[in-house]
Each structure stands twice: as C-alpha cells, then as structure tokens.
Amino acid sequence: MSAAPLEGVIAASITPLAEDLSIDVNRLARHTQRLLDNGCSFVSTFGTTGEGASLSTIEKLDALRSLSAAGADMSRQVPGVMTPTLDDAATMLVGIANAGCRAALVLPPFYYGTSEAGVAGWYDALIERTESATQIDLLLYNIPQMSRIRFTRELVETIVKRHGSRIVGIKDSTGDVQNGVMLAKSFPDLAVFTGDDRVLPTLLASGGAGMIGGMPNVFARDLRRLYDDRTNAEILAKQTERILAVDRHGSLVALKAALATYLGDENYARVLPPLKALDEVGRGKLLESFAKSGFDAAA
C-alpha cells in the first residue's frame, strides 16, 4: 500500500445519488477530486456522512472500481466498512484493497450489542478471514452514538496487541475532546483523528493526526487552514457556528443541501431513505447561518 502518512484533513465525503438512488459515480468522482484540490489529504467514502450503512457492499465496490477506472487517485481514498455482517465486511475490505485504496475505516459490528471481548473477536475474525488476500491498513471507527460500541483504552489495547501494525489509527467521533486526547496520548503510534472540527486544535496539540469529518464537504479550505494553524481562533469560531447549524438541520442532509446550492446542482441534495432531503425553509436558515459566519463558496 501507499506509504503516504495518514494525517491532515480527511473529508468524509457525501455520496451523490442518481434519480434511481444508485450511486452517481461521475458526480462522486468530481466531488472527491474537488475535496483533494481544496486541501484534503485523503477522502473517506461510504462512511456515516456517505450514507455507507444504507448502501450495499456490491454498490460500494462497484463505485470504487468505477472511480479507479475513471482515473481517480485511489491511494488517497480511505473508504468505510459499515456493516455488522462479517462476510460483507470481509468482502468490502478485500475490495477496498483491490481498488488500491490507502486504508479502510472499519465500524465495529452494531445491532446486537456485545462485550468488548465480542468486539475484539469480530476484528479477529475479519482479519483472519482476509489476511491471505490483503494486509491493508485499518482504522478503528469510534462512534458509539450510532454503533452502541465505545472503543475504550482497554479495547483498543486488546485489538492492537493482537494485530500490531495492521491497526494504524482510530477515528474518534464522540465529540469529547478529553476522549480524543486520551486516545492520542495512550496510543502515540496510532494516527488518532477527531470527527469534530471543534476538537481539532486540542487534539493536534496532544499528538493527534487530524480530522476525518463531514464538514470539509463544504468547508475544506477553512479546515485545512485550521489544521495548518491550530491557533487560528477566527476560523475555529466560524467552524463552531457552522457545525452547530449543520447539526440543527440534519447533519449530512444539511451538507448535501448546501452543496446543491453552492454547486448549482440539485442532484447533490438527494438522500437515501429513510433520510429526507432538507426542505426549502430549512435550507434557507442553514445558508443564512453560513452567510453570517462569513462563508463565501467561491473563495
């Protein structure tokens, strides 16, 4: 795999959809390239912001193959593995590796809920099932508000002890700055990312690697500036206002609505059921909040 270090601003990309709700690969290719051009070090497709849990393994792997065939730089891709099904997770992981991606961000098994020993055992089984086909780098995905599983220090220690250099990082989407700092200080050999813009400066100061989040879909340039200068209080304040506005209006559906407006292409606003696209009233309030923060889409 590519030796490019996993660090910086990694955009958790939205997934553009066609009218029949299939993945719109052409728009996805343009969007991911736009994110890289605007300062992101990598792009993470098919995670939470990318509606990855609502898309099938076949759909996602077909899209990755199409991106590769279209000439996308797959070495700057860190796709998500978002399934509680071991067989699907293994198929997705091998497909991500075969597409030439830099690494995979792996969500723990959700739905049933389990012990830490059970979660560690699931990663054991995933790695055992795929190790003859790939040695791709893995990042753990800590988003307990969605998965119901929290990566404690003890759980991370167990998985790293068993699998060593295969585990290269963790995305902490708790939004808890102290949790991110704890992970960074406890695991200096791992690339620890936050999913929350507001945590980024403190995490970087504590040895963290950067962020993997949805806000770069719209604000990649500002977030790259914040990464390059963690003391930039003005950008941090603006991003705090923006993330609050996005959260008030449905998170990923808000990001899609903003992109549809700024790119002049309503196809970007389309979402998969059970999500609902942001209505015009909500979009107006969202864009008004962005305008107050001084955002210029053309800048």
Side-chain angles (χ1 to χ4, degrees), residues 68-81:
S68 179
D73 185 353
M74 304 307 289
S75 71
R76 297 179 73 181
Q77 286 269 356
V78 183
V81 177

Side-chain angles (χ1 to χ4, degrees), residues 132-166:
S132 64
T134 178
Q135 296 291 311
I136 191 171
D137 288 341
L138 306 179
L139 292 90
L140 308 175
Y141 190 1
N142 190 34
I143 184 167
Q145 61 271 39
M146 302 293 281
S147 70
R148 299 189 297 149
I149 294 167
R150 177 178 287 271
F151 281 95
T152 63
R153 179 190 290 109
E154 292 75 19
L155 178 54
V156 177
E157 284 176 346
T158 297
I159 296 173
V160 170
K161 183 177 181 179
R162 292 179 184 177
H163 302 292
S165 60
R166 287 297 306 280

Side-chain angles (χ1 to χ4, degrees), residues 34-62:
R34 183 185 306 114
L35 293 170
L36 296 173
D37 291 345
N38 286 344
C40 294
S41 50
F42 298 90
V43 176
S44 181
T45 46
F46 309 131
T48 302
T49 305
E51 299 171 79
S54 294
L55 292 162
S56 72
T57 298
I58 291 173
E59 288 177 294
K60 290 179 283 192
L61 290 181
D62 282 349

Side-chain angles (χ1 to χ4, degrees), residues 197-198 201 222 226 231-244 292-293:
D197 313 26
R198 297 163 291 188
D222 274 352
L226 184 61
T231 66
N232 194 319
E234 180 182 0
I235 290 180
L236 180 59
K238 288 179 178 180
Q239 281 305 117
T240 297
E241 293 176 17
R242 294 164 181 169
I243 200 169
L244 290 172
K292 288 180 179 177
S293 74

Side-chain angles (χ1 to χ4, degrees), residues 26 67 86 95 116 138 181 234 237 261:
N26 290 332
L67 286 175
L86 179 61
E116 291 196 354
L138 306 179
V181 168
E234 180 182 0
T261 298

